[in-house]
Amino acid sequence: MKNKNVSRRTFLKALGLGGAGVLLPGTVQAARQGEELATLLDLSRCIGCGECVYACRESNEYKFPRPEKPFPPMFPKRVKVADWSERRDVDDRLTPYNWLFIQSAEVEHGGNVHEVNIPRRCMHCQNPPCANLCPWGACSREANGIVRINDDVCLGGSKCKNVCPWDIPQRQTGVGLYRKLLPRFAGNGVMYKCDRCFQRVAEGVVPACIEVCPENVQTIGPRAAVVKKAHALAESMNGYVYGEHENGGTNTLYVSPVPFEKLDAAIQKGPGRPGLQPVPNMMEDEENLAMASVLAPVAGVAAGVLGIGAKLIRENEDEE
Amino acid sequence: MKNRTPVTRWFDRVFVVCCSVLAISGLAQMPIFKRYYIADIPGLGWLADFYFTHKTHYIFAAFLLALLAQVLVLWFFRWRTDLKLSGGGMLRVGLLAGIVFTGILRMIKNQPGMSFSPGMTMIVDWAHLGLVLLLGVTAVILAMVKRRAYATWKK
């Protein structure tokens, strides 16, 4: 969707002096034309101050769940409620009320000890399984690269989390459409995750986590430019890139001075705490099978034509 | 034979198997088989594997497209002069066309670089699911009143 309201001035409006550094050339035009934008996180700059975490909360607070209690009793009993409404302050993992958190790792590499802080949120994959496999149309990928869950529609089945290589979306029970349908028997709330401040981007303002960062850790721009900059940055620090090819390509690229295998081994992982492991393209088979589906009707037409031909030959032979 | 469309029995069987697998793998896209213990039945654990059932859905959708393309060719170049669609046949052909159309849209959306708006995504998904449910109900009703034939011979 094209957005004529986006100008360089509006994109920079909320940024302080030096904020222009977080915008790559072509960003304004790409945003105006609804083209794919990606973010680059320079981990060598992140000091783990948490400003991005607080800004994220403040910017997105109006989207956070307001569950109605008591929750409908679930059937069957194996279906567990997920209630974070009494633990809204948790900020050391992803929750429905915390869409961005910082992982820290102390890693030895090249004879030096590196302390690396890693802001973690949705990777905004280029071909996201969460959006492709959502059976309800609640999750979708937008042309500007944002992967977003529609909280008016989501039933909280958690399938998006199950198919996400990083288990990013988090569930809150007691909220959403399922309460109006069959609250005991289908659905279990709404799934929440980073939507890269879609409302700000639509108005031509960069996401809150980017705007507020005192160290300019993040850069936003057209994906091709971001990838180019990520490689240049990695080369300058003899570092490594994560997110360019993971899951077939994401719109969140990390550049680190230490290998991501070492970071993955050093960070605390578990529910709401994603890893930094290598991830194959989860949708690759479907991409190939879709091509097979294009050929299938051709085979069907050929079978039909050959069937007619065979029948006509038989009939001609019968007449003779 | 006069009450049957002139498709072979193997075609009939492949079509039924195809639609059945598509219905099951399609329903398995909703997280219900694990919730309701069906995937706990030995041998049915695959019903809770979203990637497996999704790929299965794609494979059998390709089979269905091939079958339908074959029938279309035969209909327009051979059967049309001798056969006419029954009321139930017309209804099911319309529903099938809608299912195929929305399924193709979904496949296109799932390709890299393709984006539908959130509203469009929802419409396509709900239409696909709704049309499948309608086709299922229609097929059951027509079977119960013994009017399963898609087409009848012209007199």
Side-chain angles (χ1 to χ4, degrees):
Chain A
M1 192 167 65
K2 294 191 177 183
N3 189 348
K4 291 175 183 170
N5 297 325
V6 179
S7 67
R8 186 168 179 83
R9 193 170 59 174
T10 54
F11 244 129
L12 296 175
K13 191 171 62 179
L15 300 175
L17 194 65
V22 303
L23 278 184
L24 286 181
T27 305
V28 174
Q29 190 183 357
R32 193 182 289 147
Q33 295 179 350
E35 288 174 14
E36 191 174 34
L37 296 176
T39 53
L40 166 62
L41 291 94
D42 178 357
L43 298 184
S44 69
R45 284 172 171 261
C46 184
I47 57 173
C49 65
E51 285 297 318
C52 53
V53 178
Y54 307 129
C56 173
R57 283 184 172 224
E58 197 178 326
S59 176
N60 295 301
E61 195 172 7
Y62 76 98
K63 303 173 196 165
F64 288 166
R66 294 175 184 81
E68 296 170 39
K69 295 183 182 179
F71 299 140
M74 305 305 287
F75 181 87
K77 288 206 182 303
R78 80 190 306 181
V79 182
K80 304 289 180 210
V81 300
D83 183 18
W84 287 92
S85 60
E86 308 295 332
R87 293 176 287 166
R88 297 180 189 214
D89 293 337
V90 171
D91 64 359
D92 61 350
R93 55 160 289 171
L94 297 172
T95 79
Y97 298 90
N98 197 60
W99 301 354
L100 166 66
F101 79 107
I102 295 176
Q103 287 173 317
S104 297
E106 209 171 79
V107 178
E108 188 277 328
H109 181 64
N112 296 315
V113 176
H114 299 259
E115 192 182 320
V116 182
N117 300 297
I118 315 152
R120 299 305 305 272
R121 55 168 170 75
C122 174
M123 301 288 286
H124 296 279
C125 302
Q126 288 192 287
N127 199 21
C130 57
N132 291 340
L133 273 67
C134 174
W136 200 233
C139 187
S140 56
R141 174 195 178 277
E142 296 175 17
N144 60 8
I146 291 174
V147 180
R148 181 150 70 98
I149 297 171
N150 182 345
D151 60 354
D152 288 333
V153 175
C154 178
L155 295 177
S158 198
K159 185 182 175 186
C160 51
K161 182 182 176 187
N162 291 340
V163 299
C164 173
W166 294 278
D167 293 349
I168 296 288
Q170 300 291 318
R171 172 160 58 196
Q172 173 63 47
T173 300
V175 62
L177 183 61
Y178 91 107
R179 289 192 66 108
K180 294 174 183 157
L181 300 175
L182 297 165
R184 286 196 69 195
F185 304 104
N188 190 4
V190 172
M191 307 302 294
Y192 292 90
K193 69 168 194 70
C194 160
D195 56 19
R196 220 171 66 183
C197 291
F198 73 92
Q199 78 287 359
R200 292 170 62 95
V201 173
E203 289 173 5
V205 182
V206 296
C209 58
I210 299 179
E211 176 193 304
V212 77
C213 179
E215 302 295 323
N216 284 345
V217 168
Q218 292 197 60
T219 311
I220 189 167
R223 189 173 191 275
V226 164
V227 169
K228 196 175 169 188
K229 177 161 182 181
H231 282 286
L233 187 61
E235 201 176 320
S236 71
M237 67 170 82
N238 204 16
Y240 304 84
V241 179
Y242 185 82
E244 182 186 1
H245 300 297
E246 276 64 30
N247 197 24
T250 78
N251 280 317
T252 304
L253 275 72
Y254 292 97
V255 174
S256 159
V258 299
F260 284 93
E261 301 86 70
K262 288 189 175 180
L263 286 177
D264 184 50
I267 56 176
Q268 193 185 0
K269 289 175 286 188
R273 297 185 179 103
L276 287 162
Q277 72 283 13
V279 176
N281 182 0
M282 305 301 284
M283 295 303 297
E284 189 174 12
D285 288 341
E286 278 88 337
E287 289 167 15
N288 295 330
L289 285 169
M291 289 298 128
S293 301
V294 174
L295 297 177
V298 178
V301 168
V305 170
L306 290 174
I308 290 169
K311 183 117 185 167
L312 286 174
I313 290 166
R314 266 205 310 278
E315 282 174 2
N316 289 340
E317 283 172 352
D318 290 346
E319 283 170 13
E320 285 168 12
Chain B
M1 186 66 192
K2 283 281 173 190
N3 292 324
R4 288 181 48 78
T5 46
V7 290
T8 57
R9 288 212 176 269
W10 76 261
F11 187 99
D12 252 356
R13 286 171 191 148
V14 171
F15 182 72
V16 168
V17 168
C18 213
C19 289
S20 304
V21 174
L22 281 167
I24 292 166
S25 58
L27 283 174
Q29 294 311 301
M30 291 183 279
I32 50 174
F33 288 124
K34 187 175 175 65
R35 174 168 179 160
Y36 287 104
Y37 298 93
I38 295 163
D40 292 350
I41 298 169
L44 296 183
W46 58 273
L47 283 170
D49 182 338
F50 296 124
Y51 280 110
F52 179 79
T53 53
H54 198 239
K55 286 166 197 168
T56 305
H57 202 69
Y58 267 54
I59 291 166
F60 280 84
F63 279 128
L64 182 69
L65 287 175
L67 290 176
L68 295 180
Q70 188 183 356
V71 167
L72 276 177
V73 169
L74 290 168
W75 177 264
F76 283 106
F77 294 100
R78 181 151 194 93
W79 297 339
R80 199 167 47 154
T81 49
D82 301 324
L83 293 167
K84 64 174 180 184
L85 275 177
S86 63
M90 259 188 268
L91 181 59
R92 281 172 292 170
V93 166
L95 290 170
L96 261 173
I99 292 165
V100 168
F101 179 66
T102 50
I104 289 171
L105 285 179
R106 199 67 165 87
M107 272 190 176
I108 292 170
K109 191 200 84 71
N110 286 359
Q111 286 299 99
M114 293 304 299
S115 292
F116 288 4
S117 69
M120 180 69 174
T121 304
M122 197 178 72
I123 288 168
V124 169
D125 281 9
W126 288 21
H128 195 64
L129 178 62
L131 289 168
V132 168
L133 294 177
L134 272 177
L135 180 64
V137 171
T138 306
V140 168
I141 291 171
L142 288 171
M144 285 169 71
V145 298
K146 297 188 189 309
R147 296 181 69 173
R148 289 177 58 193
Y150 274 75
T152 53
W153 293 94
K154 288 178 181 171
K155 287 175 184 171

